[in-house]
Amino acid sequence: MDDIKSSVHKIIGRPDKIDRPLQRPSLTSADIYNEGLSDIHEEIIINVDPSTTKYCIPADDTEQDRLLNTHYIIKHCFGSNFSVPISNILSKSISVAADTPGTEFNFDENHSTMNIPGSIPDYFTHRKAPTPTSFIKNHKFNSVPRVLDIACGSGIWILEMSTEFPNAQFYGIDCATIFPNTIKPPNAHFKQCDILDPNGLPFPDEHFDYVHMRLVYNCFSSPDLKFIFKEINRILKPSGYVELRDIDPVIRNPGPSANSIFSTCKQKMAETYSVDVTWTQQMCELLSSEAEMTDIHHQVISIGFGNEGPLADAFYQNIKDAMISHKKFFSDAYNMNPEQFEGVIDAIMKEGETHQSYFNYYMSWGRKPLVPLKEQRSGGINIRHPFLPMTSTPENSKSLKTQTCDDSSDNTLAKSLLVNAFDIYNFSDGYIE
């Protein structure tokens, strides 16, 4: 495992932790993560309603190690921690849009609730999203950009992003406390909460400039996903961005052993945990129909067995570790004892090389329009959402360009909304890149 870590670290230019000097002038995000592990509670607590939780993977040290490796594989595949054109905004510490009065609150990491004016139930009962015109007329300029990572896991994405963009504020939420509690950058904040809480995500309306979510392919049902995407729309500022990165867990070009398992894996997951593992293939459609985003882009990277090099080795070990993490599911759903389970995994990994099997990693991002799509439709504005077919690329292809899923133009927004120069600047600033 250490060899795999070292290989992935070298690919992305991250110094291997074994070679770090004992004395260093400053902490990197990697240092903070590794040192922060000692700050995590020995007993990991998962704070969710037992009737709604669908997470079937243990939140132990082995799983944290796998998630860390997956982080670097995905980062290497897509070339960065993010694909949305927002680095200019995060660097300049200028939000995509100003805050609406009355939405200020403190993200209290040391207590069980957020310090929102009034109680949480009262806030969620009486909240009301501002209209586009009131949003523009009543606001403060130069809001600090805020980023939310939903299902942040170990927090490594937040730690790297908060280190790279010290002038922005980063927030991570997860049901399990496997993120650092104290050793972290001052602009990184973590909170344990139930993402599927019927009251919604614990944030005010139109609060974030960028919402990020990844590696949740095995966490939600179809109704859960609709709920989450509507919440993302609610907490995202107009012209803010949402980005999704995930894996399609069904192997392509499977051998006999893999086919015997993965051909029914989708149905078994739905029956056992009420989880929809097929949603990653419909990211664009979900961003459009449920999150009501526009300007949607996507990218897919295929990584297969049988290749050589550090990335291929890391991928091979990561896929094997992922199947081991799902041991309880496979054993229960397919009635296998431990010896049979290990034999099936070995067969799948060997067949993967001979059959040139592969997995697809998906990335999709979209932007929240200044005027909600429903209001555009009611105003007689014609909106089309044609989607380009997703195409796979070999692992060796590192220059796949992001495709546009939506070619609708925002030029017609002038018919229904008068914006001032400050909003035009903040809106267009995200497209400089």
Side-chain angles (χ1 to χ4, degrees):
M1 184 61 68
D2 289 337
D3 293 339
I4 298 298
K5 279 186 176 181
S6 178
S7 298
V8 178
H9 294 167
K10 291 178 180 178
I11 291 175
I12 62 161
R14 174 179 181 262
D16 192 283
K17 65 177 184 179
I18 297 176
D19 297 327
R20 289 186 320 212
L22 294 178
Q23 300 295 328
R24 51 189 180 276
S26 61
L27 290 174
T28 66
S29 60
D31 297 329
I32 292 170
Y33 174 79
N34 287 310
E35 295 185 15
L37 291 179
S38 61
D39 183 56
I40 296 174
H41 300 301
E42 293 183 3
E43 180 183 359
I44 296 173
I45 301 173
I46 299 181
N47 180 28
V48 294
D49 183 346
S51 63
T52 62
T53 180
K54 302 174 178 65
Y55 198 65
C56 59
I57 296 179
D60 53 19
D61 290 342
T62 302
E63 176 61 12
Q64 292 179 47
D65 211 33
R66 184 187 72 83
L67 291 175
L68 180 61
N69 288 336
T70 306
H71 164 77
Y72 290 118
I73 291 174
I74 292 179
K75 181 179 179 180
H76 180 76
C77 285
F78 295 108
S80 174
N81 271 325
F82 60 97
S83 300
V84 296
I86 200 171
S87 63
N88 207 35
I89 293 174
L90 298 180
S91 299
K92 290 183 177 180
S93 187
I94 299 178
S95 173
V96 296
D99 286 334
T100 303
T103 61
E104 298 83 359
F105 80 111
N106 294 324
F107 189 80
D108 190 346
E109 304 170 58
N110 300 317
H111 297 83
S112 59
T113 60
M114 306 296 178
N115 287 339
I116 304 174
S119 64
I120 291 291
D122 178 74
Y123 166 73
F124 281 109
T125 301
H126 297 92
R127 70 187 178 199
K128 181 179 179 181
T131 62
T133 52
S134 66
F135 177 87
I136 289 175
K137 292 178 180 178
N138 305 298
H139 64 286
K140 300 180 300 180
F141 297 115
N142 297 327
S143 302
V144 175
R146 304 186 193 95
V147 178
L148 174 65
D149 187 18
I150 298 176
C152 64
S154 65
I156 183 62
W157 188 86
I158 287 285
L159 295 176
E160 291 193 356
M161 289 290 288
S162 59
T163 302
E164 183 176 358
F165 300 103
N167 295 322
Q169 295 295 318
F170 294 84
Y171 302 84
I173 56 174
D174 201 291
C175 64
T177 56
I178 60 175
F179 41 74
N181 290 312
T182 56
I183 305 178
K184 53 187 177 62
N187 59 328
H189 316 278
F190 296 102
K191 183 68 180 178
Q192 182 189 32
C193 70
D194 184 358
I195 297 170
L196 297 177
D197 189 316
N199 287 324
L201 297 175
F203 300 101
D205 297 350
E206 299 180 351
H207 193 67
F208 291 99
D209 302 84
Y210 173 32
V211 175
H212 174 266
M213 185 171 72
R214 67 174 186 180
L215 299 178
V216 292
Y217 65 89
N218 58 349
C219 296
F220 306 122
S221 65
S222 295
D224 293 339
L225 288 166
K226 292 181 179 180
F227 170 79
I228 291 172
F229 282 119
K230 291 186 183 303
E231 278 296 287
I232 289 175
N233 177 280
R234 179 184 68 80
I235 64 175
L236 196 61
K237 292 183 177 183
S239 76
Y241 297 93
V242 57
E243 180 171 353
L244 312 171
R245 291 185 175 189
D246 227 310
I247 183 175
D248 180 357
V250 178
I251 193 171
R252 307 300 178 94
N253 291 346
S257 298
N259 188 62
S260 66
I261 298 295
F262 286 95
S263 61
T264 58
C265 180
K266 294 179 289 186
Q267 294 81 1
K268 296 284 188 181
M269 285 292 288
E271 294 170 0
T272 306
Y273 297 105
S274 299
V275 167
D276 178 13
V277 298
T278 67
W279 75 273
T280 56
Q281 302 175 38
Q282 288 86 42
M283 282 184 176
C284 284
E285 288 83 354
L286 289 168
L287 284 177
S288 173
S289 62
E290 303 301 333
E292 298 188 55
M293 297 294 132
T294 188
D295 192 25
I296 300 172
H297 295 66
H298 76 159
Q299 187 176 7
V300 56
I301 299 291
S302 300
I303 303 183
F305 295 85
N307 296 295
E308 297 181 354
L311 178 61
D313 294 340
F315 165 77
Y316 183 93
Q317 187 63 46
N318 188 259
I319 294 300
K320 186 175 182 178
D321 290 343
M323 288 190 288
I324 293 175
S325 294
H326 287 82
K327 180 179 180 179
K328 185 180 186 302
F329 162 70
F330 286 120
S331 298
D332 294 345
Y334 296 92
N335 194 26
M336 292 186 291
N337 59 41
E339 292 75 18
Q340 292 173 323
F341 175 73
E342 293 177 4
V344 168
I345 288 182
D346 291 339
I348 290 176
M349 302 305 291
K350 291 179 181 178
E351 292 172 1
E353 297 184 16
T354 57
H355 287 76
Q356 295 184 327
S357 304
Y358 64 94
F359 285 89
N360 284 334
Y361 290 83
Y362 292 99
M363 182 283 300
S364 295
W365 66 264
R367 177 178 54 81
K368 183 177 178 178
L370 285 175
V371 177
L373 297 182
K374 291 181 180 179
E375 294 188 18
Q376 294 184 37
R377 295 187 183 99
S378 63
I381 301 175
N382 183 29
I383 302 175
R384 296 180 296 125
H385 290 281
F387 297 105
L388 299 178
M390 286 192 174
T391 55
S392 301
T393 67
E395 180 233 343
N396 292 331
S397 177
K398 301 295 192 298
S399 59
L400 177 65
K401 294 183 178 180
T402 305
Q403 296 176 315
T404 303
C405 296
D406 175 17
D407 66 355
S408 60
S409 173
D410 279 331
N411 292 332
T412 53
L413 291 178
K415 297 179 181 179
S416 58
L417 180 64
L418 180 62
V419 294
N420 58 35
F422 291 97
D423 292 281
I424 293 175
Y425 170 78
N426 287 331
F427 172 77
S428 61
D429 194 47
Y431 293 89
I432 292 177
E433 298 175 18

